[in-house]
């Protein structure tokens, strides 16, 4: 496909930020929304991008979007999710925090908590919380993934299995319509599965863009978590699964009922 200068820049923005939105692109290029929609439709027809509500994203595949781009995707939504999750975790508790930009938002929101233990395989979480004297930070050993500071592999799994904690905060790269929680790296998934198995209360944190993506490796099922926090859940099938399996669904930015 031959790309116009504007389309080439749109693709570059999508690769840098993880997604593009029609409104933002129309303003950036000083063109109509209809013009941008045609650009996106052409790019999606050529499988350069993948359509999402209100814009487009880099197509899902066997690799995740780069770490810095993931941090920018739905940043305000992740912050709100992090605050909501932190409210569920009382001072004095023990908890796992897994790899992910949304789980990192939970770590940021825990800064005002007192007298609790955080066990993590996320170097970024450990580095942010280590400065607080009332928070004990325990970090897993294993292979450090250079792309995002995640610690993965069998050594990390064995380390996690030594603990039984009050809460676990986990993320997912994608959530399928049948409630499957998915990720890209099987080494990371093994750690996530150990975390789920060794926590009394599992909190899944994932923004609504995760419903628009897919990934090849199964972490587990939505039915294995106790609380699911998202900005908005657009899928009736996911809502039904939460009801059927007694999973508490918390939406920080639920769309108003029509």
């Amino acid at each position: 496909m031959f790309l116009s200068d504007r389309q080439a820049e749109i693709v570059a923005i999508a690769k840098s930020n993880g997604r593009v939105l029609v409104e933002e692109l129309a303003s950036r290029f000083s063109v109509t929304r209809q013009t941008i929609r045609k650009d996106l439709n052409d790019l999606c027809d050529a499988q350069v991008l993948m359509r999402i509500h209100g814009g487009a994203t880099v197509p899902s595949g066997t690799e995740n979007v780069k770490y810095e781009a993931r941090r920018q995707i739905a940043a305000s939504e992740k912050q709100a999710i992090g605050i909501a999750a932190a409210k569920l975790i009382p001072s004095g508790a023990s908890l796992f925090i897994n790899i992910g930009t949304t789980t990192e938002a939970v770590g940021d929101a825990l800064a005002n908590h007192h007298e609790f233990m955080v066990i993590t395989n996320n170097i970024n979480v450990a580095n942010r919380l280590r400065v607080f004297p009332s928070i004990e930070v325990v970090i897993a050993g294993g292979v450090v993934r250079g792309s995002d500071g995640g610690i993965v592999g069998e050594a990390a799994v064995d380390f996690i299995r030594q603990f039984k904690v009050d809460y676990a905060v986990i993320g997912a790269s994608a959530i399928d319509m049948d409630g499957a929680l998915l990720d890209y790296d099987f080494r990371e998934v093994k750690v996530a599965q150990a975390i789920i198995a060794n926590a009394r209360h599992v909190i899944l944190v994932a923004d609504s863009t995760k419903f628009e993506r897919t990934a090849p490796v199964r972490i587990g099922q939505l039915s294995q978590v106790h609380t699911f926090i998202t900005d908005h859940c657009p899928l009736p099938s996911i809502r039904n699964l939460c009801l059927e399996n007694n999973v508490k669904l918390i939406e920080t930015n639920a769309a108003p009922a029509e």
Side-chain angles (χ1 to χ4, degrees), residues 12-33:
I13 294 169
K15 288 182 177 179
S16 174
N17 296 343
R19 67 173 177 174
V20 288
L21 300 176
V22 171
E23 294 286 347
E24 293 176 359
L25 291 175
S27 175
R28 180 188 182 99
F29 293 106
S30 300
V31 297
T32 64
R33 292 189 295 273

Side-chain angles (χ1 to χ4, degrees), residues 140-143 151-160 162 191:
V143 177
I151 301 172
V152 296
E154 288 301 322
V157 172
D158 291 342
F159 180 85
I160 292 298
Q162 297 179 74
V191 180

Side-chain angles (χ1 to χ4, degrees), residues 231-247:
D231 54 306
H232 172 59
C233 178
L235 300 180
S237 62
I238 296 297
R239 292 181 179 278
N240 290 336
L241 282 170
C242 288
L243 285 172
E244 291 168 2
N245 293 282
N246 295 316
V247 178

Side-chain angles (χ1 to χ4, degrees), residues 80-90 93-99 102-103 106 110 113 165-172 175 181 192 195-197 199-206 219 221-222 224-230 247-250 252:
I81 291 168
I83 292 170
K87 289 179 179 177
L88 300 179
I89 301 168
S94 57
L95 67 148
F96 291 128
I97 299 182
N98 197 15
I99 303 169
T102 311
T103 58
V106 179
L110 287 169
H113 281 50
V165 302
D166 300 315
Y167 294 88
V169 178
I170 66 165
I175 302 174
L181 310 179
I195 285 173
I196 292 170
R200 297 180 181 91
H201 187 108
V202 179
I203 302 171
L204 170 67
V205 291
I219 301 170
Q221 286 294 129
L222 185 61
Q224 292 176 266
V225 312
H226 301 89
T227 303
F228 173 30
I229 307 177
T230 185
V247 178
K248 184 177 182 180
L249 174 63
I250 298 175
T252 61

Side-chain angles (χ1 to χ4, degrees), residues 21-102:
L21 300 176
V22 171
E23 294 286 347
E24 293 176 359
L25 291 175
S27 175
R28 180 188 182 99
F29 293 106
S30 300
V31 297
T32 64
R33 292 189 295 273
Q34 183 178 0
T35 298
I36 294 298
R37 289 192 187 100
K38 185 179 185 306
D39 282 337
L40 295 183
N41 287 337
D42 290 343
L43 291 167
C44 293
D45 288 344
Q47 298 184 334
V48 177
L49 296 179
M50 182 178 71
R51 259 307 203 163
I52 60 172
H53 180 69
T57 188
V58 179
S60 296
T62 59
E63 293 185 4
N64 205 351
V65 178
K66 299 301 183 184
Y67 175 73
E68 286 302 323
R70 298 205 319 265
R71 288 186 63 196
Q72 296 178 46
I73 297 172
S76 60
E77 289 86 348
K78 290 174 182 175
Q79 183 181 36
I81 291 168
I83 292 170
K87 289 179 179 177
L88 300 179
I89 301 168
S91 293
S94 57
L95 67 148
F96 291 128
I97 299 182
N98 197 15
I99 303 169
T101 53
T102 311

Side-chain angles (χ1 to χ4, degrees), residues 99-213:
I99 303 169
T101 53
T102 311
T103 58
E104 287 176 20
V106 179
D108 291 341
L110 287 169
N112 293 324
H113 281 50
H114 302 286
E115 305 302 331
F116 70 100
M117 174 187 287
V118 174
I119 302 144
T120 184
N121 63 324
N122 187 326
I123 283 179
N124 302 311
V125 168
N127 196 42
R128 291 171 190 175
L129 294 180
R130 66 179 174 79
V131 299
F132 300 101
S134 64
I135 300 175
E136 182 178 5
V137 179
V138 183
I139 191 164
V143 177
V144 179
R145 199 165 55 189
S147 61
D148 60 2
I151 301 172
V152 296
E154 288 301 322
V157 172
D158 291 342
F159 180 85
I160 292 298
R161 286 174 176 161
Q162 297 179 74
F163 299 89
K164 185 72 174 184
V165 302
D166 300 315
Y167 294 88
V169 178
I170 66 165
S173 293
I175 302 174
D176 205 59
M177 289 182 64
D178 65 358
L181 310 179
L182 305 169
D183 214 302
Y184 294 90
D185 188 339
F186 73 91
R187 300 171 303 168
E188 178 180 344
V189 163
K190 290 291 186 183
V191 180
Q193 290 170 341
I195 285 173
I196 292 170
N198 290 282
R200 297 180 181 91
H201 187 108
V202 179
I203 302 171
L204 170 67
V205 291
D207 67 84
S208 56
T209 65
K210 303 302 171 61
F211 297 114
E212 301 162 352
R213 308 180 67 198

